[in-house]
Amino acid sequence: MSVKTIVKMGNAQLATPSLPVEDPTKPRREIGQLIEDLLDSMNDNGGVGIAAPQIGHNLRVIVFGFEVNARYPDKDSVPFTVLINPTFKTLSQEMVDGWEGCLSVPGLRGLVPRYQHIEYSGYDLKGQLITRVVDGFHARVLQHEYDHLDGILYPERITDMKCFGFEDELLRR
Ligand code: NI
């Protein structure tokens, strides 16, 4: 296990759709290794989530979760979760705006609309299917990480580019 370099916006891998993991019910050892690297890299950078393309693997694997997080100090905790081949569906058309950052877009924040109520599924490290109904920030984190697997970064989802900028400047508003 090790902390990997997180690639930044502009890197071609971040813009490339990722491939599903073959037989997620029996994850191979390399997938276990990848998940450890994702967790180490997320924790080392103080992130609330990370997706495999951010450390250079175009595979559909994400991890997320935190108890308390300095990057999002006012947010309720999200359980630590590993998802292989995640999917989600919206449970209502309601969308909410919220500020997001990304370890691949360091120093910046943007206001991004996301679905408020979703149900997501995916396989954990043991190959077991997880399904959860979530809302709010938990739903936001899932949608952000899921986008990475389709080669989408949050700045592409910002509707008002005046609500995109450097964290230290935005804090002075
Ligand atoms: Ni991100």
Side-chain angles (χ1 to χ4, degrees):
M1 53 188 236
S2 52
V3 174
K4 300 293 182 189
T5 301
I6 295 181
V7 296
K8 295 196 287 291
M9 185 168 64
N11 179 287
Q13 277 184 297
L14 288 176
T16 304
S18 290
L19 293 170
V21 172
E22 269 180 54
D23 195 0
T25 63
K26 293 194 195 67
R28 294 154 62 108
R29 227 166 54 137
E30 302 92 88
I31 299 299
Q33 181 71 58
L34 169 62
I35 287 166
E36 276 190 26
D37 290 347
L38 283 167
L39 283 168
D40 290 345
S41 305
M42 177 178 89
N43 290 331
D44 188 64
N45 287 281
V48 299
I50 194 169
Q54 292 183 274
I55 58 166
H57 293 268
N58 279 116
L59 281 171
R60 301 189 80 87
V61 179
I62 60 177
V63 304
F64 56 87
F66 64 95
E67 277 293 322
V68 286
N69 187 278
R71 285 166 59 83
Y72 300 93
D74 61 333
K75 300 300 181 194
D76 290 337
S77 67
V78 172
F80 278 99
T81 305
V82 169
L83 289 181
I84 301 168
N85 295 356
T87 59
F88 78 93
K89 62 182 183 190
T90 59
L91 298 179
S92 80
Q93 287 308 302
E94 185 190 348
M95 298 191 89
V96 281
D97 285 331
W99 290 94
E100 293 185 18
C102 179
L103 298 179
S104 294
V105 191
L108 292 156
R109 291 290 170 115
L111 195 63
V112 182
R114 298 284 187 190
Y115 291 104
Q116 171 73 348
H117 305 283
I118 65 166
E119 178 183 298
Y120 70 75
S121 293
Y123 294 88
D124 70 9
L125 190 50
K126 292 181 186 145
Q128 278 165 348
L129 188 66
I130 299 172
T131 300
R132 290 193 187 125
V133 172
V134 300
D135 58 20
F137 192 65
H138 190 158
R140 174 173 299 279
V141 171
L142 185 285
Q143 290 168 81
H144 175 114
E145 300 310 333
Y146 183 91
D147 266 353
H148 277 296
L149 305 183
D150 285 344
I152 297 166
L153 297 177
Y154 81 81
E156 297 168 59
R157 299 246 184 232
I158 296 171
T159 50
D160 177 0
M161 290 305 281
K162 286 192 168 44
C163 295
F164 181 43
F166 290 91
E167 255 170 299
D168 50 352
E169 296 288 355
L170 290 166
L171 279 173
R172 283 194 212 119
R173 280 188 182 182

